[in-house]
Amino acid sequence: MVQEKANAILEALNSATATNQEELEQFRIQYISKRSVIGALMGEMRNIPNEEKKAFGVTINNLKQTAQTKFKALIDGLENNNAESKAAIDLTLPPLEDAPGSTHPITAIRQQITQIFERLGFNLSEGPEIEDDWHNFTALNFPPNHPAREMQDTFFIQQDKEPEKAIDELALRTHTSSVQVRVMEDSEPPIRTLSIGRVFRNEAISARAHCIFHQVEGLYVDKNVSFLDLKQTVYHFVKELFGKDTKIRFRPSYFPFTEPSAEIDISCNICKGKGCNICKHTGWVEIAGSGMVDPNVLKNCGIDPEAYTGFAFGMGLERITMLKYQVNDLRLFTENDVRFLKQFKTL
Ligand code: PHE
């Protein structure tokens, strides 16, 4: 009889729940307090035959312990619940603004440039950002003492000092011309290729310069390629990207890997040629270097300079993007300020 009662209490104890303080208090009164059902059951001790008293005592003690353990568990459960409900969603709050990302301006310009040159039959080529001396300098006709090889321009990479493991001098590429060398080494003319990628130069970061930036480089090698082809291609590109009214001029220049070489200026897109800070009041801004591929470079890459000629041009993507979108500080491109980025559309 008492054993059945004890079993019933045990069962009820185990299945008890408490979802709030009141239910917890109910549990305490029912199973822990002096007036608890366990206390009442203990009161029946005197009706128990002497020889069964000991066993009955053990049952009561077990019940008491189970009640204590259960009580602690209910308290813990309630505390966790409270923490969760505090963090619960407040349905009265206004909804969060729907905020889809936008295309980064550098990416947008990169896509536009790629499309213009793809329509002219250029394919895309890629190369490593860590380059050896041959592809970044030597094959491109840089004399051994050329200042661009020095530490202030180039980020060299720590070399393995053990002679048996000696590797070519490695550096972060300073221009994407290194990709042109790789393409010329690996393929036969006609070659029409465009390489876009990150380049690295040890320069102080300012509104106009950064130590990491992007270049686009184009190369065309075939029979009878002339400076006229270079000019025509550049004219087409500039007018497609900046509009038909943009003026273009070529200024004689020098690069080790092109001969003759020219720098390309366009009429300032910001003041429309009237003169402003960006064009330093000249009405012109430089956008690219270019020229006819030096015969030595063709030879270095396994192409016969008697049979083939080529032109190349290279420009900074940041500069082009600044002009196109009238951005006056190059650092904005890498600061990831949402107020800047969300002004550009998603492509
Ligand atoms: N590689 C040159 C630079 O980084 C640009 C260039 C490319 C010039 C191709 C001429 C021909 O400045």
Side-chain angles (χ1 to χ4, degrees), residues 10-81:
L10 190 66
E11 216 171 286
L13 244 183
N14 281 332
S15 56
T17 56
T19 52
N20 53 41
Q21 285 298 332
E22 266 162 53
E23 287 175 15
L24 189 70
E25 180 60 6
Q26 282 297 320
F27 182 91
R28 196 190 63 79
I29 293 168
Q30 183 124 25
Y31 299 107
I32 311 272
S33 71
K34 286 208 175 93
R35 288 170 291 136
S36 74
V37 285
I38 301 171
L41 191 63
M42 216 158 63
E44 300 200 19
M45 183 73 98
R46 53 195 138 87
N47 307 328
I48 305 265
N50 273 345
E51 63 275 17
E52 289 173 27
K53 276 197 164 65
K54 199 176 165 199
F56 183 68
V58 172
T59 307
I60 294 288
N61 273 342
N62 279 346
L63 272 179
K64 278 187 177 171
Q65 254 174 27
T66 313
Q68 285 293 349
T69 317
K70 180 76 184 187
F71 188 53
K72 271 194 77 179
L74 289 180
I75 292 173
D76 287 351
L78 213 57
E79 273 169 8
N80 287 344
N81 258 350

Side-chain angles (χ1 to χ4, degrees), residues 44-332:
E44 300 200 19
M45 183 73 98
R46 53 195 138 87
N47 307 328
I48 305 265
N50 273 345
E51 63 275 17
E52 289 173 27
K53 276 197 164 65
K54 199 176 165 199
F56 183 68
V58 172
T59 307
I60 294 288
N61 273 342
N62 279 346
L63 272 179
K64 278 187 177 171
Q65 254 174 27
T66 313
Q68 285 293 349
T69 317
K70 180 76 184 187
F71 188 53
K72 271 194 77 179
L74 289 180
I75 292 173
D76 287 351
L78 213 57
E79 273 169 8
N80 287 344
N81 258 350
N82 273 348
E84 269 167 36
S85 58
K86 265 185 209 135
I89 305 163
D90 180 353
L91 292 173
T92 63
L93 284 174
L96 285 177
E97 199 185 324
D98 192 12
S102 52
T103 304
H104 193 282
I106 299 283
T107 308
I109 287 293
R110 186 186 175 128
Q111 286 178 2
Q112 290 171 44
I113 295 177
T114 307
Q115 280 165 11
I116 294 170
F117 281 101
E118 273 178 348
R119 286 201 291 271
L120 293 177
F122 281 70
N123 61 21
L124 287 180
S125 46
E126 281 185 351
E129 290 180 348
I130 298 175
E131 261 304 2
D132 52 39
D133 180 88
W134 170 258
H135 292 97
N136 199 73
F137 295 125
T138 305
L140 288 162
N141 216 22
F142 276 83
N145 55 355
H146 196 280
R149 292 175 176 228
E150 283 176 15
M151 290 302 281
Q152 73 267 23
D153 287 323
T154 308
F155 288 115
F156 288 99
I157 287 175
Q158 184 83 45
Q159 286 181 66
D160 204 320
K161 293 284 182 289
E162 291 172 57
E164 63 274 19
K165 287 196 197 153
I167 45 170
D168 284 336
E169 205 160 0
L170 290 180
L172 295 178
R173 68 180 176 199
T174 58
H175 51 183
T176 42
S177 307
S178 56
V179 185
Q180 321 288 277
V181 174
R182 289 179 179 274
V183 172
M184 286 192 279
E185 281 174 340
D186 294 345
S187 44
E188 297 284 317
I191 295 168
R192 262 176 296 191
T193 191
L194 194 73
S195 17
I196 309 184
R198 282 194 301 185
V199 299
F200 310 83
R201 288 185 197 179
N202 195 357
E203 278 179 38
I205 297 170
S206 71
R208 295 173 58 90
H210 206 292
C211 56
I212 303 177
F213 56 102
H214 295 77
Q215 274 194 343
V216 186
E217 182 135 345
L219 171 77
Y220 178 31
V221 181
D222 201 353
K223 289 191 171 116
N224 301 319
V225 176
S226 73
F227 203 90
L228 186 66
D229 297 305
L230 168 64
K231 281 186 96 170
Q232 215 41 62
T233 308
V234 170
Y235 272 63
H236 174 78
F237 161 69
V238 169
K239 287 179 189 268
E240 284 283 296
L241 190 66
F242 289 106
K244 292 222 171 343
D245 298 332
T246 316
K247 293 192 190 68
I248 300 143
R249 73 179 187 190
F250 283 71
R251 263 183 305 110
S253 186
Y254 170 79
F255 297 102
F257 35 89
T258 46
E259 184 59 39
S261 307
E263 258 155 348
I264 302 164
D265 297 342
I266 65 168
S267 53
C268 181
N269 194 38
I270 291 171
C271 62
K272 304 288 171 210
K274 286 193 205 88
C276 69
N277 281 345
I278 300 293
C279 62
K280 297 191 193 128
H281 300 279
T282 62
W284 295 95
V285 272
E286 184 198 315
I287 60 157
S290 68
M292 301 305 293
V293 182
D294 194 291
N296 270 339
V297 175
L298 293 175
K299 215 186 307 161
N300 287 339
C301 300
I303 293 174
D304 180 3
E306 299 295 328
Y308 296 103
T309 51
F311 72 68
F313 59 86
M315 56 200 162
L317 212 48
E318 279 76 0
R319 171 73 65 88
I320 305 281
T321 311
M322 286 170 88
L323 284 172
K324 175 81 181 179
Y325 293 127
Q326 322 211 326
V327 177
N328 59 12
D329 192 328
L330 185 144
R331 289 169 291 198
L332 286 164

Side-chain angles (χ1 to χ4, degrees), residues 330-342:
L330 185 144
R331 289 169 291 198
L332 286 164
F333 294 135
T334 43
E335 279 170 356
N336 284 339
D337 187 330
V338 180
R339 290 167 302 177
F340 171 71
L341 294 174
K342 77 179 175 191

